Amino acid sequence: VLQRAPRRADEKDEDTVRRIARDEHSVPDCMLRIVRTIKGGTCSFFSLVSEEATREEIITFFLAMLELLRLGRVKVRQERMHGDILLSRAAR
């Protein structure tokens, strides 16, 4: 294993394949999904993300929620610490 490792930080291991993963979720896409979902009324934050949500998905939806809150498009409520967050349309 040590023989295959680069000796210096600037040396590249030619056998190493690096992949750059494309984000599956973007903040604008998540914002749109939130807005569409709350047209029907209140929804919970965890109902927006998939059951097997990745950390990236949860963070992206959270950032989208914060951006919509900043823009005055949603209202959020959390009834207890560490509880689910309820989202609804903000009155315009």
Side-chain angles (χ1 to χ4, degrees):
V1 173
L2 289 176
Q3 291 175 344
R4 291 178 46 199
R7 289 189 178 88
R8 297 184 328 203
D10 60 344
E11 287 183 24
K12 294 182 181 172
D13 184 0
E14 293 179 19
D15 295 333
T16 301
V17 175
R18 298 189 188 261
R19 298 182 195 273
I20 299 175
R22 181 182 174 128
D23 291 340
E24 294 180 27
H25 306 279
S26 69
V27 172
D29 290 342
C30 292
M31 288 171 65
L32 185 59
R33 183 166 169 201
I34 292 170
V35 168
R36 287 180 178 164
T37 303
I38 61 174
K39 278 185 180 179
T42 302
C43 76
S44 73
F45 179 79
F46 287 112
S47 71
L48 295 168
V49 296
S50 62
E51 274 190 38
E52 307 218 354
T54 63
R55 177 182 221 149
E56 180 261 334
E57 180 182 358
I58 294 169
I59 290 169
T60 306
F61 267 101
F62 192 78
L63 291 172
M65 178 192 67
L66 291 177
E67 182 63 15
L68 289 168
L69 183 63
R70 185 185 74 78
L71 294 171
R73 308 251 336 252
V74 299
K75 293 188 302 185
V76 296
R77 187 178 75 229
Q78 186 176 28
E79 295 181 357
R80 60 185 162 86
M81 191 180 299
H82 305 293
D84 202 356
I85 300 169
L86 301 175
L87 295 87
S88 59
R89 289 174 57 177
R92 287 196 161 192

